[in-house]
Amino acid sequence: SETLTVEELAAKLNKEASEIIKKLMFLGVMATKNQDLDDDAVELICDEFGVEVEKEIILEDTDFDKYRDQDDKAELVERPAVVTIMGHVDHGKTTLLDAIRHTKVTEGEAGGITQHIGAYQVENDGRKLTFLDTPGHAAFTSMRSRGAQVTDIAVLVVAADDGVMPQTVEAINHAKAAEVPIIVAVNKMDKEGANPDRVMQELTEYELIPEDWGGNTIFVNMAAFKHEGIDSLLEMLQLVSEMEELKANPKANAFGTVIEAELDKGRGPVATLLVQNGTLHVSDSVVVGSTFGRVRTMVNDEGKRVQSAEPSTPVEITGLNDVPQAGDQFLVFSDEKKSRQVGEARQQKHIQETRSETTKVSVDDLFEQI
Ligand code: GTP
Ligand code: MG
């Protein structure tokens, strides 16, 4: 159940922790300021101070769903698809991502690319696609287990000379569980022993059947290493994203997921966020996982300072009080006070969840001595 520490209760009652500790001693309980008090103990102490217990003293409802904007259908506009590259070790995921980036990210801006933020957008025929450069299965699994669904389309990379391997199957299972469409990239076509027919044959076992064989899975043959097949893959990704009719409301308060985060010596907590709905602005009040803050600076995937980020855009932000975890969700509040309240409550909840339950003062302890 929800609890407060002696110190937290003191703060809420505008008292010193020592005064609470004295009351507890008077009631026969030795306590420290970090000790947890259950609801009944809180009520009893409040009573001692002649304070009516309002429900607000107890932790607020901290569920983001309660505070998220209801999407007004009229405001929904198309947004870029978010694509995750998956597949067995060494089948060419990183090479493919690099090839896409190098063919599509403008070279003229090379001076501006000061840092790489682990996620990026490319433009193809005037339409954008967002790629997550954290294709490890672990990241995908951890995000999914936290209820964060960030991927719209999965690209399954299978090396033509190696075929379906254990992690290929794992990737298929992840993508199927997430119910996202799968495009198969048959890679390393340039290699001796490349056998795309065998790959297709093996994948039929997992209901990934090419159109030529009467199925509806898109297969693209490629040699990422030589930048061959990249344009066809991008074309297919556009096609699938159009069919998915991906929409978001850019006018809503921003909501999304942490892709990665770390503590930077100079800048403090730095987080790469994927905006999934709404638009994120510099100086927005934001609650992120079990921390919060105000967006101080925002940098896009080319390392340039930006003032806002629309749906499906990855950005790196500073201004948080603490380092969130990959897979944490974030939400912007238009009311800074509310943001602080929810942020602090989520922080407390997190601290309590991770703290051992051994030293909780219960109302039974209080009455034991009487
Ligand atoms: P992990 O991150 O370890 O899971 O591997 P990965 O899937 O990211 O594979 P990566 O891109 O690192 O490629 C593995 C090796 O395959 C590298 O030596 C690449 O140069 C090579 N490779 C990737 N694509 C191709 C290709 O199209 N043709 C050939 N011949 N080699 C390739
Ligand atoms: Mg790799």
Side-chain angles (χ1 to χ4, degrees):
S1 80
E2 291 169 342
T3 56
L4 285 173
T5 65
V6 168
E7 197 171 35
E8 286 158 0
L9 178 62
K12 286 187 187 287
L13 292 173
N14 243 329
K15 304 276 178 199
E16 294 295 323
S18 61
E19 294 178 75
I20 308 279
I21 292 169
K22 259 188 229 163
K23 284 279 180 215
L24 285 165
M25 265 169 76
F26 176 73
L27 291 165
V29 176
M30 302 298 284
T32 66
K33 64 184 165 78
N34 295 322
Q35 211 136 6
D36 282 323
L37 301 164
D38 72 9
D39 288 0
D40 293 336
V42 168
E43 204 169 328
L44 205 70
I45 291 159
C46 289
D47 222 42
E48 287 284 317
F49 284 110
V51 177
E52 284 259 318
V53 181
E54 286 175 46
K55 272 295 153 204
E56 266 160 32
I57 287 182
I58 311 304
L59 297 178
E60 298 259 343
D61 189 348
T62 56
D63 191 355
F64 278 168
D65 284 346
K66 189 179 152 189
Y67 298 104
R68 271 188 72 172
D69 290 306
Q70 292 297 341
D71 286 336
D72 177 0
K73 288 251 183 314
E75 305 283 0
L76 293 182
V77 298
E78 222 171 288
R79 64 168 177 84
V82 179
V83 181
T84 300
I85 314 285
M86 308 179 87
H88 192 72
V89 178
D90 268 358
H91 279 199
K93 301 177 291 292
T94 302
T95 308
L96 174 56
L97 279 161
D98 285 348
I100 292 169
R101 186 161 37 208
H102 287 132
T103 34
K104 289 296 169 186
V105 172
T106 36
E107 297 290 341
E109 284 156 350
I113 306 173
T114 49
Q115 64 226 111
H116 160 57
I117 69 168
Y120 61 92
Q121 252 181 5
V122 300
E123 204 166 312
N124 185 48
D125 279 344
R127 308 181 66 137
K128 287 175 177 166
L129 286 168
T130 301
F131 289 88
L132 294 187
D133 201 358
T134 49
H137 297 175
F140 199 85
T141 312
S142 112
M143 283 193 193
R144 273 187 26 76
S145 71
R146 291 151 160 272
Q149 168 103 8
V150 292
T151 305
D152 297 308
I153 304 171
V155 171
L156 181 71
V157 179
V158 187
D161 61 334
D162 207 20
V164 172
M165 299 298 281
Q167 281 177 297
T168 314
V169 177
E170 229 174 78
I172 294 168
N173 291 336
H174 283 308
K176 282 192 172 171
E179 294 180 349
V180 295
I182 300 171
I183 294 181
V184 180
V186 182
N187 192 33
K188 306 200 186 184
M189 285 294 290
D190 59 305
K191 280 191 99 173
E192 214 177 298
N195 188 348
D197 278 352
R198 195 190 75 184
V199 174
M200 286 193 262
Q201 185 60 52
E202 287 171 346
L203 285 174
T204 57
E205 223 180 284
Y206 304 94
E207 288 137 34
L208 297 174
I209 301 160
E211 281 163 341
D212 288 352
W213 296 4
N216 53 17
T217 302
I218 296 170
F219 280 70
V220 180
N221 289 347
M222 58 197 318
F225 194 55
K226 300 188 160 185
H227 291 209
E228 283 168 20
I230 303 291
D231 285 332
S232 321
L233 178 66
L234 290 174
E235 210 175 290
M236 290 306 148
L237 282 168
Q238 291 295 11
L239 201 83
V240 173
S241 79
E242 269 167 52
M243 292 192 304
E244 292 290 297
E245 294 184 22
L246 304 164
K247 300 233 159 91
N249 175 8
K251 290 183 180 159
N253 284 338
F255 173 85
T257 299
V258 177
I259 303 303
E260 58 193 22
E262 59 172 18
L263 187 63
D264 182 275
K265 269 196 191 120
R267 296 182 296 160
V270 175
T272 299
L273 307 180
L274 176 71
V275 179
Q276 293 177 272
N277 195 39
T279 300
L280 183 65
H281 304 272
V282 167
S283 85
D284 272 351
S285 296
V286 63
V287 180
V288 186
S290 52
T291 185
F292 60 99
R294 282 184 82 181
V295 180
R296 191 165 62 222
T297 62
M298 194 148 76
V299 165
N300 71 8
D301 58 348
E302 291 168 3
K304 284 192 198 148
R305 288 279 189 114
V306 289
Q307 293 300 309
S308 61
E310 297 196 324
S312 296
T313 308
V315 278
E316 189 188 79
I317 67 152
T318 62
L320 300 178
N321 296 342
D322 206 350
V323 183
Q325 285 183 279
D328 276 349
Q329 295 186 318
F330 73 87
L331 179 63
V332 165
F333 288 76
S334 19
D335 178 356
E336 195 186 342
K337 232 178 94 189
K338 190 90 224 164
S339 164
R340 177 165 284 274
Q341 251 175 34
V342 173
E344 281 174 352
R346 284 175 72 103
Q347 198 170 37
Q348 274 185 32
K349 213 176 196 173
H350 179 72
I351 291 165
Q352 283 169 7
E353 277 164 10
T354 48
R355 193 163 50 196
S356 78
E357 291 261 290
T358 49
T359 57
K360 196 190 271 179
V361 174
S362 75
V363 75
D364 291 337
D365 298 330
L366 297 176
F367 282 117
E368 220 164 63
Q369 309 287 328
I370 299 172

